[in-house]
Amino acid sequence: MTKRIIALVLALMMTAAVVAGCSGSTSTATADEANAADTAKTYNIGICQLVQHVALDAATQGFKDYLTEQLGDAVTFNEQNAQGDSATCTTIANQFVADNVDLILGNATPALQAAFTATADIPVLGTSITDYGTALDIADWTGVSGFNVSGTSDLAPLDGQAEILNELFPDAKTVGLLYCSAEPNSKYQCDTISGYLEGYGYELKTYTFSDSNDIAAVVTSACEEVDVIYIPTDNSAASNTGIIDNIALEKKIPIITGEEGICSGCGVATLSIDYYDLGYTTGKMAYDILVNGADVSAMEVQFAAATTKKYDAARAAAFDLEIPEDYVAIETE
């Protein structure tokens, strides 16, 4: 009897071992299949860019380059340009949501706002955004949205920009602040820099235009009433630098700008960031969200790592300016 019991126990033990072995094989196969699925995963990203100009183009390119370097053919981009129209940004963002993209990039404030309004679920990153508190209408902005939005800011130090204006034009009396009234971040910059410029003793006058239709008349008025013009990082101005430049040069009024692209189009000097690097940083954030599962609502908005004093050599010569050695000439094609 005892031998029969022992034999039965041994048989049961052998059966359990076989079952365990089979179970182990199944687990390994499942893990391999999961890894294969992860490797095969693809990402579809929607990009809404407000308008085509040098700075925004560079930011978009930097964003795409980083993700392509990391993901290769596993990432695809649906890149749309709103041609400067906020309503078109809304249409584009809604289509991205309908397409169920994995992430949306809003390049410039209206594009970010449209994406933020369109979805509370899909991660949204912004780039070329001056102030996220203003863009998202968050009064107690802390650097983290708490929503499905984060990204990078293109705000260069406004005290540094005021310092450049004073360094190059210390004898000027009146400074005109020129920007598009439809861009709240432009107003934010001009409101902020006003305190620094007043600290240098300048009298300030504000000139706003609604779109390209009235920009010539507004610039003409400004050039007849001020000694120097300051233009912030303003997308409408960036798209109309030719108009601004023709009037300002004829009237012999120099312009200090908030970024390099506008400066190369109509300005004398700027304290600027590198928009390609800004987009590249935004691409890193996107990778962290898509691949590593980072929570976009907890990601702190990032800023440019460095700023550079830059100048346009031809316009500097036209105004007989002696440019300090720590400025870098803007490269021309």
Side-chain angles (χ1 to χ4, degrees):
M1 182 71 176
T2 302
K3 290 182 180 180
R4 292 181 64 183
I5 293 173
I6 292 173
L8 179 60
V9 169
L10 289 173
L12 290 172
M13 291 176 63
M14 290 177 64
T15 302
V18 171
V19 171
C22 292
S23 298
S25 299
T26 302
S27 297
T28 302
T30 302
D32 289 343
E33 289 171 1
N35 290 335
D38 288 342
T39 302
K41 184 170 177 57
T42 58
Y43 305 95
N44 185 21
I45 297 177
I47 299 176
C48 178
Q49 181 173 315
L50 174 63
V51 67
Q52 183 176 7
H53 66 68
V54 175
L56 299 190
D57 291 349
T60 292
Q61 193 61 53
F63 176 80
K64 292 166 58 180
D65 283 354
Y66 180 82
L67 288 169
T68 301
E69 288 169 10
Q70 300 301 316
L71 299 172
D73 294 336
V75 62
T76 59
F77 304 101
N78 183 353
E79 187 175 347
Q80 301 293 326
N81 193 298
Q83 304 299 325
D85 183 43
S86 296
T88 303
C89 287
T90 299
T91 301
I92 292 169
N94 287 336
Q95 186 59 55
F96 288 159
V97 174
D99 293 341
N100 196 30
V101 298
D102 297 297
L103 182 142
I104 299 174
L105 175 71
N107 190 348
T109 298
L112 175 72
Q113 292 171 326
F116 177 55
T117 301
T119 178
D121 302 314
I122 297 173
V124 174
L125 290 178
T127 191
S128 312
I129 312 297
T130 302
D131 179 66
Y132 280 76
T134 301
L136 302 176
D137 195 23
I138 300 176
D140 55 344
W141 176 249
T142 62
V144 176
S145 74
F147 299 101
N148 60 319
V149 180
S150 189
T152 55
S153 170
D154 63 351
L155 181 63
L158 292 166
D159 57 344
Q161 294 183 31
E163 182 181 355
I164 281 181
L165 192 150
N166 181 250
E167 184 174 43
L168 298 180
F169 304 102
D171 298 326
K173 303 299 181 185
T174 307
V175 175
L177 306 175
L178 176 70
Y179 63 93
C180 177
S181 58
E183 298 193 33
N185 277 316
S186 297
K187 183 180 186 303
Y188 167 83
Q189 292 171 80
C190 287
D191 287 348
T192 303
I193 201 172
S194 292
Y196 299 120
L197 292 172
E198 288 171 344
Y200 286 115
Y202 295 114
E203 177 188 353
L204 304 181
K205 293 187 177 183
T206 299
Y207 301 87
T208 63
F209 55 92
S210 58
D211 53 37
S212 59
N213 293 320
D214 62 343
I215 191 169
V218 174
V219 174
T220 298
S221 295
C223 288
E224 291 173 349
E225 300 172 357
V226 303
D227 301 313
V228 183
I229 290 175
Y230 171 74
I231 301 176
T233 54
D234 183 284
N235 292 298
S236 297
S239 300
N240 291 279
T241 55
I243 295 173
I244 298 170
D245 190 43
N246 289 336
I247 297 169
L249 282 179
E250 181 182 351
K251 300 288 186 180
K252 296 183 171 26
I253 300 299
I255 298 173
I256 299 296
T257 72
E259 58 94 4
E260 182 179 344
I262 301 177
C263 187
S264 63
C266 65
V268 170
T270 183
L271 180 66
S272 188
I273 66 167
D274 188 316
Y275 276 81
Y276 179 87
D277 288 346
L278 194 72
Y280 201 81
T281 297
T282 317
K284 292 180 180 180
M285 297 175 75
Y287 182 88
D288 203 20
I289 293 166
L290 295 171
V291 179
N292 299 328
D295 179 4
V296 64
S297 69
M299 296 179 81
E300 189 169 357
V301 166
Q302 302 295 304
F303 290 81
T307 57
T308 306
K309 292 180 177 181
K310 293 198 170 185
Y311 74 100
D312 182 273
R315 292 191 192 88
F319 289 105
D320 296 322
L321 287 176
E322 186 173 334
I323 302 296
E325 292 183 357
D326 59 338
Y327 285 67
V328 177
I330 296 173
E331 296 181 4
T332 57
E333 295 181 357

